[in-house]
Amino acid sequence: MEIFGYFALAVTAVFSAAALKKYAPETSLVIAVTASAALLIKILSGISPVISEINGLVSVSGVNAGYVPVLMKTIGICFVCQFTADACRDAGQSSLASKTELAARIAVIVISLPLFRDILETVSGLVGGG
């Protein structure tokens, strides 16, 4: 199972970073960020079957296919935000991590505005307001 390889990399990086933190904090941070980036890249490289499955489900369900890019962008923002915020926290910058998370929330809202508009139009049509 591939997931155990990810866990092994993460645990090795944690122990290495912890061992170096007292003597070389910069190197410790580089190890943590590099391992995190490597894990993220490896995990995301296997995402194409998930995208194919989502596209298949959307086509079968009859849902507007325009919603898929919104979903994918939102998921991407969440992954990148989590990675960035964790890196900020590892560097001792929790305030910057919080601002990163706020920026991601706003980006998700902006990306979702067309979806909100469609929902409101549908609801308005159902209740006879449009």
Side-chain angles (χ1 to χ4, degrees):
M1 296 185 79
E2 207 171 316
I3 192 73
F4 292 114
Y6 300 154
F7 294 158
L9 174 61
V11 169
T12 302
V14 165
F15 286 137
S16 299
L20 291 173
K21 190 169 189 170
K22 184 177 180 180
Y23 305 106
E26 304 85 14
T27 305
S28 173
L29 180 61
V30 169
I31 289 171
V33 171
T34 302
S36 296
L39 283 170
L40 184 64
I41 290 168
K42 181 65 178 161
I43 290 167
L44 292 179
S45 68
I47 202 164
S48 61
V50 174
I51 294 171
S52 297
E53 184 67 24
I54 289 171
N55 284 327
L57 290 172
V58 167
S59 66
V60 168
S61 70
V63 174
N64 184 348
Y67 298 152
V68 175
V70 172
L71 175 66
M72 291 298 125
K73 288 176 186 177
T74 302
I75 291 170
I77 289 170
C78 291
F79 281 141
V80 171
C81 171
Q82 185 69 49
F83 173 77
T84 305
D86 288 345
C88 291
R89 284 191 188 90
D90 287 346
Q93 300 294 324
S94 60
S95 176
L96 187 56
S98 296
K99 302 314 178 278
T100 300
E101 291 167 338
L102 176 62
R105 288 181 187 113
I106 292 170
V108 167
I109 290 170
V110 169
I111 287 172
S112 301
L113 285 176
L115 182 63
F116 290 140
R117 185 181 317 113
D118 287 352
I119 291 170
L120 290 175
E121 288 172 0
T122 301
V123 169
S124 177
L126 290 174
V127 296

